[in-house]
């Protein structure tokens, strides 16, 4: 059996355009529901005299997760013919935007949903912009509720042109634009007679063509230091491998200080030496061949391929706070495990993602996007997001709350450019 690629997707779009309904339908059509679940929910709806909604499935799964009945606590999974699909963050989830921005959710691809009767709305365009901001390039568009427009090919064509133009202006070429009725099932797993005029892929086929983003294992090593433990007389540097691999004997550089060392041992938990190489996603402890000052927030890379140290960076951010962000603002910036004060030197660009109108670059309003120049109160290790999606991400906090976040566009190289 060949390894089935795992793809992580998000389903975005204006509230009520049918995200939950599509997810319920997808779970059903791909045979991913527990035995009897659908029948049970239909019976409950009938007993209560209310029409069955596909979104009940999501609610039911959510309730089970909250009660700890199912093992997988955060994610909804289904299979297409050649892919294992993980749906990250159930639509409508209050933390959805925050999770997308902070990188808690990282998607390989997205489905953008549009109500055929309502058409492309500001929120639709904003979500398109967010996908671009987060570097999600594979986007399948679905035009839902085609039953409400009598499956009109003309109406579909208009919406398809409008959204394609918007996404193209952002640098995203939709992988498909698909007419569907999530509620009735047309276009989800089958090209029904209602959409006989359409000859592109179904939603299941479009998802089946998504490819996993570049594996983090293939990038240079980045170990984000979380803590230093003393064990016996040894000092163990604990952290998470954000990208790349490490093993005992590797020559490393600790950034931003630029100190050089060799990994003596890689430790598991409870502390026991481990043999072999460890890759992205693993949390490990390492011991070094010499006594060096290492602290939470440092990033370890291989000698010759370490992140830059910098006190100045440019970022493209999405702003969530009620209070607009202005030049001169003092904020807290989180980059991986590092946390530092920073000053907003300049707002270089401000855009309303609803209509893509550029605004006077003096402030970035809530739900708007902008580019900023940040001066940090201490040197940090960072990569541009183009080079590393994990270490090239930052979050901005005000008074302990997430106020915005996004991608590192460029870093001003410090004196200790990666050795
Ligand atoms: P969400 O807020 O995007 O998750 O939207 P929901 O999935 O909750 O759907 C909102 C409403 O639209 C519900 O009442 C659904 O029954 C309805 N709906 C969803 N898909 C369709 C469809 O294909 N056709 C019609 N007529 N209604 C739909």
């Amino acid at each position: 059996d060949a390894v089935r690629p795992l793809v992580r997707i998000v389903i975005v779009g204006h509230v009520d355009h049918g995200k939950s309904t599509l997810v319920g339908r997808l779970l059903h059509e791909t045979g991913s529901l527990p035995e009897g679940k659908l029948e049970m929910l239909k019976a409950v709806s009938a007993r209560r005299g209310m029409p069955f909604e596909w979104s009940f499935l999501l609610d039911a799964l959510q309730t089970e997760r909250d009660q700890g009945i199912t093992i997988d606590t955060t994610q909804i999974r289904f299979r297409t013919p050649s892919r294992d699909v993980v749906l990250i963050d159930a639509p409508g989830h209050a933390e959805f935007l925050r999770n997308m921005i902070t990188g808690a959710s990282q998607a390989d691809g997205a489905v953008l949903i549009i109500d055929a009767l309502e058409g492309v709305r500001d929120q639709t365009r904003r979500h398109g912009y967010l996908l671009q901001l987060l570097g999600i390039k594979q986007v399948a568009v679905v035009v839902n509720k085609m039953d409400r427009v009598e499956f009109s090919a003309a109406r579909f064509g208009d919406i398809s042109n409008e959204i394609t133009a918007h996404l193209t202006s952002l640098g995203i070429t939709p992988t498909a634009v698909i007419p569907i009725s999530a509620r009735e099932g047309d276009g989800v797993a089958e090209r029904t007679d209602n959409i006989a005029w359409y000859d592109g892929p179904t939603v299941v086929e479009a998802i089946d063509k998504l490819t996993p983003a570049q594996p983090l294992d293939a990038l240079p090593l980045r170990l984000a230091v979380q803590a230093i433990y003393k064990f016996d007389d040894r000092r163990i540097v604990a952290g998470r491998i954000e990208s790349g691999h490490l093993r005992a004997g590797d020559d490393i550089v600790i950034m931003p200080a630029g100190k050089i060392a060799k990994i003596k041992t890689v430790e598991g938990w409870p502390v026991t030496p481990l043999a072999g190489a460890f890759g992205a996603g693993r949390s490990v402890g390492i011991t070094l061949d010499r006594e060096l000052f290492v602290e939470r927030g440092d990033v370890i890379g291989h000698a010759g391929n370490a992140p830059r140290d910098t006190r100045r960076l440019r970022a493209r951010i999405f702003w969530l706070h009620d209070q607009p962000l202005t030049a001169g603002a003092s904020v807290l910036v989180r980059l991986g495990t590092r946390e530092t004060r920073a000053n907003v030197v300049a707002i270089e660009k401000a855009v309303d993602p609803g209509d893509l109108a550029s605004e006077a670059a003096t402030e970035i309003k809530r739900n708007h996007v902008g580019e900023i120049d940040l001066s940090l109160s201490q040197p940090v290790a960072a990569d541009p997001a183009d080079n590393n999606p994990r270490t090239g991400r930052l979050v901005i906090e005000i008074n302990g709350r997430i106020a915005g976040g996004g991608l590192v566009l460029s870093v001003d190289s410090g004196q200790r450019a990666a050795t």
Side-chain angles (χ1 to χ4, degrees):
D1 221 18
V3 176
R4 295 163 57 84
L6 177 85
V7 292
R8 298 156 59 83
I9 65 167
V10 285
I11 299 189
V12 297
H14 191 285
V15 64
D16 277 344
H17 282 201
K19 297 178 292 295
S20 315
T21 305
L22 176 60
V23 174
R25 183 55 90 162
L26 277 170
L27 291 174
H28 172 62
E29 303 280 354
T30 57
S32 310
L33 287 171
E35 187 85 27
K37 174 114 303 176
L38 184 61
E39 293 68 24
M40 191 199 81
L41 287 172
K42 282 188 167 166
V44 170
S45 303
R47 223 171 26 243
R48 295 191 185 150
M50 53 203 268
F52 169 76
E53 288 271 353
W54 285 95
S55 59
F56 291 170
L57 275 170
L58 266 190
D59 299 341
L61 294 174
Q62 185 67 51
T63 309
E64 285 178 15
R65 278 201 303 273
D66 293 346
Q67 294 169 353
I69 295 169
T70 44
I71 298 159
D72 193 333
T73 53
T74 53
Q75 294 166 331
I76 289 175
R77 286 169 177 267
F78 59 91
R79 295 178 130 214
T80 58
S82 63
R83 296 282 184 272
D84 284 334
V85 185
V86 174
L87 182 71
I88 50 180
D89 236 326
H93 186 220
E95 294 294 309
F96 175 69
L97 265 185
R98 277 189 174 75
N99 288 349
M100 294 260 289
I101 288 165
T102 58
S105 325
Q106 236 166 19
D108 302 311
V111 174
L112 175 62
I113 194 164
I114 303 167
D115 183 321
L117 195 60
E118 304 248 321
V120 178
R121 310 302 297 265
D122 272 4
Q123 204 176 29
T124 315
R125 283 186 283 264
R126 198 175 295 138
H127 285 167
Y129 205 105
L130 253 179
L131 297 176
Q132 185 247 8
L133 176 75
L134 299 174
I136 299 172
K137 303 218 166 67
Q138 305 181 83
V139 179
V141 175
V142 301
V143 179
N144 186 34
K145 308 195 192 182
M146 285 299 294
D147 54 293
R148 292 179 78 193
V149 297
E150 280 133 23
F151 294 95
S152 157
R155 176 70 182 149
F156 170 77
D158 289 346
I159 294 176
S160 174
N161 289 340
E162 188 180 351
I163 192 64
T164 302
H166 174 70
L167 291 176
T168 306
S169 76
L170 297 172
I172 297 173
T173 310
T175 57
V177 184
I178 312 165
I180 72 165
S181 168
R183 203 172 69 184
E184 309 304 326
D186 308 85
V188 177
E190 244 181 287
R191 260 175 304 274
T192 56
D193 289 345
N194 287 326
I195 49 169
W197 44 265
Y198 171 75
D199 58 8
T202 62
V203 180
V204 171
E205 285 164 355
I207 293 175
D208 200 53
K209 287 212 180 62
L210 295 175
T211 51
Q214 188 187 23
L216 294 170
D217 275 358
L219 294 171
L221 170 68
R222 297 291 183 260
L223 173 72
V225 176
Q226 273 158 348
I228 317 297
Y229 298 109
K230 281 229 190 302
F231 190 82
D232 301 337
D233 55 349
R234 293 180 299 164
R235 249 168 21 115
I236 295 173
V237 178
R240 192 183 128 95
I241 303 174
E242 298 294 345
S243 62
H245 289 95
L246 60 74
R247 58 164 72 229
D250 284 358
D251 289 312
I252 55 154
V253 185
I254 300 153
M255 298 300 287
K259 290 172 196 148
I260 289 171
K262 209 183 256 298
I263 298 178
K264 198 157 114 192
T265 61
V266 181
E267 306 282 336
W269 190 259
V271 181
T272 38
L274 298 173
F278 300 88
R282 276 289 295 251
S283 289
V284 293
I286 59 174
T287 61
L288 304 178
D289 69 338
R290 67 201 78 170
E291 283 265 328
L292 285 177
F293 181 69
V294 186
E295 62 179 344
R296 178 180 169 85
D298 286 350
V299 179
I300 291 175
H302 279 136
N305 212 346
R308 320 290 294 206
D309 76 288
T310 184
R311 292 182 68 144
R312 195 73 181 257
L313 45 86
R314 289 182 56 249
R316 182 181 297 132
I317 59 157
F318 191 90
W319 193 245
L320 295 164
H321 203 275
D322 294 333
Q323 205 72 33
L325 181 69
T326 53
S330 169
V331 295
L332 185 101
V333 169
R334 271 182 207 287
L335 269 147
T337 51
R338 172 77 75 209
E339 175 183 310
T340 179
R341 301 294 318 172
N343 185 261
V344 179
V345 178
I347 308 275
E348 296 181 341
K349 208 169 171 186
V351 176
D352 176 352
D355 54 14
L356 293 191
S358 279
E359 303 180 324
T362 51
E363 59 174 31
I364 305 173
K365 298 192 189 75
R366 179 180 157 82
N367 283 339
H368 288 202
V369 177
E371 290 178 12
I372 59 174
D373 181 0
L374 282 171
S375 167
L376 312 174
S377 66
Q378 59 174 314
V380 303
D383 290 295
D386 272 350
N387 296 357
N388 193 309
R390 301 288 312 175
T391 45
R393 220 173 240 283
L394 59 79
V395 171
I396 298 176
E397 290 188 8
I398 293 180
N399 295 331
R401 297 210 41 200
I402 294 173
L407 307 179
V408 175
L409 293 179
S410 62
V411 302
D412 232 21
S413 52
Q415 302 90 358
R416 264 181 307 271
T419 24

